[in-house]
């Protein structure tokens, strides 16, 4: 293997994207992304927020509901319950599955049957959902329960003799289709904490330094020593992310899946540009009709019709109409003499 001497010295510190994690746990992760363009950093944020696949309840069949909540209201609450989405790649999208409606390869079935028989109010939680056995693994589709009591999200409340019986079908999807498939609660995105690039026009009454407190990332960068030191050509290169998950996917996995999805998009773009071209041959993509054919006459300034005759003549030849004369009696010549 040949050694690249360009990687010697300080150059290797600025070669390619670099990620530095400052804090992380099962739900949160804070990291810095540097040596990339603003558009790439923002693309990663958007992909993590809207295109990382998860599983969520998509269809609800209610057999009995005598609670005070409408069927649609309960269905909406069920859809927002986070479900375990680890190893989501083992589950197919329903549109890509060969089954008629749903099966164990593209969905997970959950059932719920609760009935209050006492005078006290009965609370129905996510832990009361029973997950079916026909699924890719033993944890996908399980309701995410993180509270100390192990109850999960509250679905509804029942009084005496009230009943709720339903069947749920959870499917794979992305937040671009519906927010219930979002793997994150929020993603913080920040750059240039001192506003050295003047991308923000801070409104203030007396002193912007006092009225606009600095973020925690201001300690990592230096402000401009003098206002006249402003560089119009400067661009941001350090971006600070704060990813907050909801428990269905670990926070670090959200970042990794976001990077993978971004790579798939770029690979699809490259493949589309180079399809049937070998990346070096003649362009064979979409083009205007006959735009590359010099004999098609597309450079004739518009004086010929698609039928090959001059634009001043009809399809039957000459300057006359189909009947040999114009409605004014002459033979297709100009009316001005």
């Amino acid at each position: 293997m040949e050694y690249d001497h360009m990687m010697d010295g300080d150059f290797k510190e600025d070669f390619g994207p670099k990620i530095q994690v400052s804090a992380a746990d099962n739900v949160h992760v804070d990291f810095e992304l540097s040596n990339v363009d603003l558009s790439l950093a923002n693309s990663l944020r958007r992909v993590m927020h809207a295109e990382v696949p998860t599983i969520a309840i998509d269809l609800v069949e209610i057999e009995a509901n005598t609670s005070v909540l409408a069927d649609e209201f309960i269905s909406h609450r069920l859809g927002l319950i986070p479900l375990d989405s680890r190893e989501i790649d083992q589950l197919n999208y329903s549109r890509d599955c060969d089954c008629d409606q749903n099966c164990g390869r593209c969905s997970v079935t959950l059932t719920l049957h609760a009935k209050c028989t006492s005078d006290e109010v009965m609370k129905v939680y996510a832990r009361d959902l029973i997950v079916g056995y026909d699924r890719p693994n033993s944890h996908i589709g399980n309701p995410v329960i993180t509270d100390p009591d192990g109850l999960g999200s509250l679905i509804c409340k029942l009084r005496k003799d009230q009943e709720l019986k339903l069947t749920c079908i959870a499917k794979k999807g992305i937040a671009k289709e519906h927010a219930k498939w979002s793997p994150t609660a929020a993603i913080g995105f920040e750059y240039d904490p001192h506003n050295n690039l003047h991308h923000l026009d801070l409104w203030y009454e007396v002193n912007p330094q006092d009225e606009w407190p600095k973020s925690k990332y201001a300690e990592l960068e230096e402000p401009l020593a003098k206002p006249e030191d402003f560089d119009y050509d400067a661009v941001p290169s350090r971006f600070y992310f704060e990813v907050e998950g909801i428990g269905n996917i670990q926070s670090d996995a959200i970042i990794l899946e976001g990077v993978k999805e971004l790579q798939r998009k770029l690979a699809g773009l490259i493949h589309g540009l180079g399809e049937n071209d070998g990346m070096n041959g003649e362009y064979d993509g979409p083009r205007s009709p006959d735009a590359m054919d010099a004999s098609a006459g597309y450079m004739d300034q518009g004086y010929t019709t698609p039928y090959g005759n001059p634009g001043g003549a009809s399809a039957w030849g000459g300057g006359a109409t189909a009947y040999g004369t114009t409605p004014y009696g002459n033979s297709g010549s100009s009316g001005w003499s």
Side-chain angles (χ1 to χ4, degrees), residues 172-213:
K172 181 180 178 180
I174 59 176
K176 184 180 286 188
E177 303 175 31
H178 195 283
K180 64 187 177 183
W181 279 299
S182 177
T184 62
I187 297 180
F189 179 69
E190 181 182 352
Y191 66 91
D192 189 22
H194 294 286
N195 198 27
N196 293 334
L197 303 176
H198 295 185
H199 286 186
L200 296 178
D201 187 11
L202 302 178
W203 182 91
Y204 63 94
E205 295 180 351
V206 180
N207 187 354
Q209 303 298 331
D210 298 333
E211 300 176 22
W212 291 89

Side-chain angles (χ1 to χ4, degrees), residues 211-226:
E211 300 176 22
W212 291 89
K214 301 297 182 183
S215 69
K216 62 182 181 180
Y217 301 108
E219 302 176 355
L220 304 178
E221 298 187 19
E222 295 294 335
L224 290 177
K226 299 178 182 179

